[in-house]
Amino acid sequence: MPHGRPLRRHWLLDEGLRFLNHGSYGATPRAVLDAQAQWRSRMERQPDRFMVTELPAALEAAAARLAEFVGALPGSLAFVENATAGVNTVLRSLDFALGDEIVLSRHAYTGIRNGAQYAATRSGARIVEAQTPFPVTDSAAIADAYASAIGNRTRLAIVDHIGSPTALIHPVAEIVRACRARNVPVLVDGAHAPGSLELDLAALDADWYTGNCHKWLYAPKGCAFLCTAPRAQEVTRPLAISNFAGEGYWREFSWTGTRDPSAFLSVTAALDFWTEMGGAAIPAWNHRLVVEAAAKINAAWGTEPTAPEAMLAGMATLKLPWAGEATQAIADRVHDWLLAERRIEVPVLAFDGALWCRISGQIYNDLADYLALGEAMPQAL
Ligand SMILES: Cc1ncc(COP(=O)(O)O)c(C=O)c1O
């Protein structure tokens, strides 16, 4: 499979930048941006014809192709702008009451926690944090943390598929099964999963699954989905109620007011690019690269791995060799130094009393990118 620096020609990434953060926002290949530009010009040549006549069928075709890729039941997948919107859609669709509980990981992404907190505060419900361990040696500890957090008042469990600060693959099948057995509705936050992990959403059978296509599937930014099990479709309403209110799940989500649908429609070009570049071999290659990079960096820094290989996809979180104060302000200074002095883009995080950085592996990266980070970090610190 072709990989490494020569592949940078497919992206617009700045020359000389060591880009080790595919995970935060993705990076869209030129070919997909070109396809998106074509959709936009098609739309602007005759906006009325496009919106009324062409868009419904085009959107349906794009959704069907994506649904097949993620193993979703036909008609269960709707487009949303991002995983944040997917999670908020579910939170706003449910009625929480005084004393109800929403369970999420103590490592949940900040935006998701804030959305849950907002929904809870409006109704007198409260957030309960699953005490997910990190570093971790086996995935059972994560499932156990969720099992302990779920109780009689749990009205929703939000489960990361791949954790944001920790990069850990969570045992979602097991957690979903446990939630379903206890009649607890469950939403999987798969922000990082499409293109990183093989998905069979019908088999997983979560009540809701939201995933980004703009991170690891190469789609333009603003392309994500919410997949809703048939049993939950009637209550699941878009964040913006619009023209097709009450006309069914797909119809309602297909039109939430005038917007630029070109990112959604370009998911087919993204899937084509993904397939052309290697398909399932891509996440496998990203995984190997990141695992090898993490081992080399840990050896250089004298640090321990934070997770077993099997719990990592295309990212790994590394503990920094730093015994001082661990605030996000200090983490930001480390990040800024790496970028300014070494042109390395990598997220640096402060949590659980330590500093960490999260590396992403992508087919345009080389091991040399990570060795440069390994060498620069002690100086940055
Ligand atoms: C686990 C997790 N959930 C949600 C999000 C939010 O993604 P988006 O900004 O695309 O909504 C992220 C972003 O990195 C994430 O890591």
Side-chain angles (χ1 to χ4, degrees):
M1 200 190 79
H3 58 260
R5 190 146 283 263
L7 288 198
R8 288 275 289 246
R9 71 178 189 279
H10 292 294
W11 276 268
L12 294 164
L13 292 165
D14 277 348
E15 194 57 41
L17 178 68
R18 293 191 188 276
F19 190 62
L20 306 185
N21 189 23
H22 193 88
S24 281
Y25 313 105
T28 313
R30 292 171 191 271
V32 179
L33 292 172
D34 289 348
Q36 183 177 29
Q38 280 175 25
W39 279 113
R40 284 196 171 122
S41 47
R42 214 169 128 181
M43 172 166 68
E44 297 306 338
R45 280 201 301 269
Q46 221 295 31
D48 294 50
R49 181 186 64 205
F50 184 81
M51 291 297 186
V52 178
T53 313
E54 297 179 19
L55 179 60
L59 205 56
E60 227 169 294
R65 173 101 186 265
L66 180 59
E68 194 185 333
F69 181 76
V70 298
L73 291 175
S76 68
L77 181 147
F79 285 111
V80 291
E81 271 74 16
N82 45 51
T84 304
V87 170
N88 276 280
T89 299
V90 174
L91 286 164
R92 304 286 186 87
S93 292
L94 298 178
D95 292 320
F96 298 102
L98 187 69
D100 283 351
E101 294 172 354
I102 302 171
V103 167
L104 43 68
S105 162
R106 75 184 182 92
H107 294 118
Y109 180 75
T110 303
I112 301 308
R113 174 191 314 282
N114 290 346
Q117 187 63 63
Y118 177 70
T121 304
R122 281 163 64 100
S123 54
R126 66 185 194 102
I127 301 288
V128 173
E129 287 189 343
Q131 295 302 308
T132 41
F134 190 74
V136 68
T137 49
D138 77 295
S139 65
I142 293 188
D144 290 348
Y146 271 91
S148 306
I150 289 166
N152 294 337
R153 297 305 307 263
T154 310
R155 292 292 167 268
L156 178 68
I158 304 177
V159 185
D160 297 337
H161 203 162
I162 298 178
S164 172
T166 61
L168 298 178
I169 301 175
H170 289 40
V172 286
E174 198 179 332
I175 299 172
V176 168
R177 255 198 316 275
C179 288
R180 303 265 298 123
R182 294 169 74 168
N183 252 332
V184 170
V186 55
L187 158 64
V188 179
D189 172 1
H192 288 276
S196 284
L197 298 172
E198 202 180 331
L199 296 177
D200 184 348
L201 299 189
L204 182 64
D205 199 25
D207 297 277
W208 301 273
Y209 189 106
T210 188
N212 280 326
C213 303
H214 51 230
K215 286 187 190 281
W216 296 91
L217 207 53
Y218 303 141
K221 284 153 194 61
C223 181
F225 64 85
L226 176 67
C227 186
T228 304
R231 60 182 173 276
Q233 286 176 11
E234 202 179 322
V235 299
T236 307
R237 310 289 301 273
L239 283 174
I241 300 296
S242 185
N243 295 9
F244 303 142
E247 293 186 28
Y249 174 80
W250 168 260
R251 281 274 285 169
E252 265 201 88
F253 276 87
S254 73
W255 185 264
T256 56
T258 305
R259 59 181 167 176
D260 179 353
S262 62
F264 302 154
L265 298 171
S266 304
V267 78
T268 50
L271 283 164
D272 287 345
F273 183 83
W274 195 83
T275 307
E276 215 173 283
M277 299 311 281
I282 297 172
W285 195 85
N286 294 344
H287 170 77
R288 288 267 32 106
L289 178 63
V290 132
V291 163
E292 193 180 342
K296 289 212 175 339
I297 294 176
N298 279 326
W301 295 350
T303 42
E304 294 296 321
T306 56
E309 274 183 35
M311 291 183 71
L312 300 176
M315 301 188 293
T317 295
L318 309 173
K319 188 168 191 179
L320 303 193
W322 172 253
E325 201 190 349
T327 63
Q328 193 54 48
I330 293 172
D332 290 345
R333 286 183 62 193
V334 175
H335 165 271
D336 294 351
W337 188 92
L338 290 167
L339 188 58
E341 301 297 327
R342 298 301 169 86
R343 305 211 64 204
I344 297 172
E345 182 61 73
V346 71
V348 184
L349 310 161
F351 66 90
D352 289 358
L355 294 185
W356 317 80
C357 73
R358 190 188 69 189
I359 54 173
S360 293
Q362 189 47 261
I363 52 174
Y364 51 68
N365 290 123
D366 280 318
L367 197 57
D369 294 327
Y370 307 90
L371 299 182
L373 173 68
E375 187 263 327
M377 186 63 86
Q379 294 178 49
L381 290 170

